[in-house]
Amino acid sequence: SGDDRQGPCPLEQKDVTEEEHNSRQEAIFDEHADFFASEDASPPQVLERLRRIAVTCQVTPETTILDVATGTGGLLPHFEDRGANLRLVTGVDLSGGMLDYARKRFPSATFVKSDIMKYRPVAGARFDRVVFNACFGNFWDQGLVLKHTEAELVRDGGLIVISHPLGRKWLGDLKARDPQMVRHALPTRVELEALASRCAPGLAVELCDDEADYYCAALRCRQQP
């Protein structure tokens, strides 16, 4: 998706402004926060896939984690099950309604209401893991998000995980029904490699599990000195 202008990271079509897009995302998730905090949002098969995503994140008790679009904190118990210390987890989300639930459920973690493109870690700290679960299709510009993550958020040698527990086809169907809500499909491995090469050349795709009802890709940050 993009217009005809040239550049390393193509700009998005200006059907709405980025600010309007983000405001709409915030309002939708605020409205539906009660559902996302309920058990209905995470049936057993989804919980199993979230556990699988957490395994891909390769966490230890010392791992610092940035959970982007953390929502109500659905991944945090799975990080903890894999050995993560929630005091080293920061969740960022546009939706204050979603974060209200996350803060109550996980008081030891840190939560910040912010657009990820405007988020800067305290004192320039970088994270060992940056996780984009069930949100990568919703961003205004996927390439610029990867560029910002490489430049500001992930440490050298760190891992970026892009995932969706319902899979690429499911998200593509949702995009077809509501393209203003979901601006992008999830990238195939070839598309993700091309996107990283164009926008964040210090990132290398290590895996891309692209299955009928599950998607999880991991990119390693190998920044040049």
Side-chain angles (χ1 to χ4, degrees):
S1 60
D3 58 21
D4 294 328
R5 285 171 285 187
Q6 300 300 307
C9 299
L11 298 174
E12 297 304 318
Q13 294 177 357
K14 300 297 184 180
D15 49 330
V16 296
T17 68
E18 182 176 3
E19 291 73 20
E20 289 169 339
H21 172 74
N22 286 343
S23 293
R24 182 177 296 147
Q25 297 277 318
E26 179 181 358
I28 289 171
F29 285 102
D30 278 349
E31 180 182 354
H32 296 289
D34 291 347
F35 167 76
F36 284 105
S38 72
E39 292 183 358
D40 291 341
S42 298
Q45 66 271 27
V46 170
L47 291 176
E48 180 55 40
R49 294 169 202 157
L50 292 176
R51 283 192 283 270
R52 187 176 168 191
I53 290 164
V55 170
T56 298
C57 293
Q58 304 172 28
V59 300
T60 73
E62 292 76 40
T63 304
T64 57
I65 304 169
L66 178 64
D67 188 24
V68 181
T70 188
T72 61
L75 267 179
L76 269 64
H78 304 289
F79 292 148
E80 194 170 35
D81 286 346
R82 300 303 302 172
N85 179 355
L86 294 189
R87 294 185 182 278
L88 300 180
V89 175
T90 299
V92 174
D93 204 288
L94 281 171
S95 168
M98 301 279 270
L99 289 177
D100 285 345
Y101 281 103
R103 290 188 178 102
K104 292 173 185 174
R105 294 174 68 192
F106 307 104
S108 61
T110 299
F111 296 100
V112 180
K113 185 179 184 299
S114 178
D115 171 11
I116 192 58
M117 289 298 297
K118 297 178 181 177
Y119 175 71
R120 300 293 187 278
V122 175
R126 289 173 179 256
F127 293 89
D128 300 315
R129 304 289 180 265
V130 180
V131 183
F132 298 94
N133 180 58
C135 63
F136 201 64
N138 296 64
F139 293 126
W140 176 256
D141 187 314
Q142 292 175 322
L144 290 181
V145 168
L146 280 186
K147 183 177 182 179
H148 172 57
T149 302
E150 178 195 21
E152 303 280 352
L153 303 179
V154 68
R155 71 164 177 82
D156 191 18
L159 200 65
I160 298 167
V161 175
I162 300 168
S163 58
H164 202 297
L166 298 177
R168 190 164 59 87
K169 181 184 183 302
W170 182 91
L171 191 70
D173 291 343
L174 181 58
K175 178 181 181 296
R177 296 195 302 272
D178 192 352
Q180 292 185 327
M181 176 64 180
V182 180
R183 288 182 64 85
H184 311 277
L186 289 167
T188 64
R189 180 171 187 138
V190 170
E191 291 167 344
L192 184 58
E193 288 172 342
L195 186 67
S197 177
R198 191 167 66 245
C199 299
L203 304 181
V205 178
E206 286 197 347
L207 69 86
C208 186
D209 293 329
D210 186 2
E211 302 169 9
D213 55 4
Y214 177 83
Y215 179 94
C216 189
L219 302 93
R220 184 75 62 178
C221 181
R222 300 294 189 192
Q223 296 171 339
Q224 297 300 314

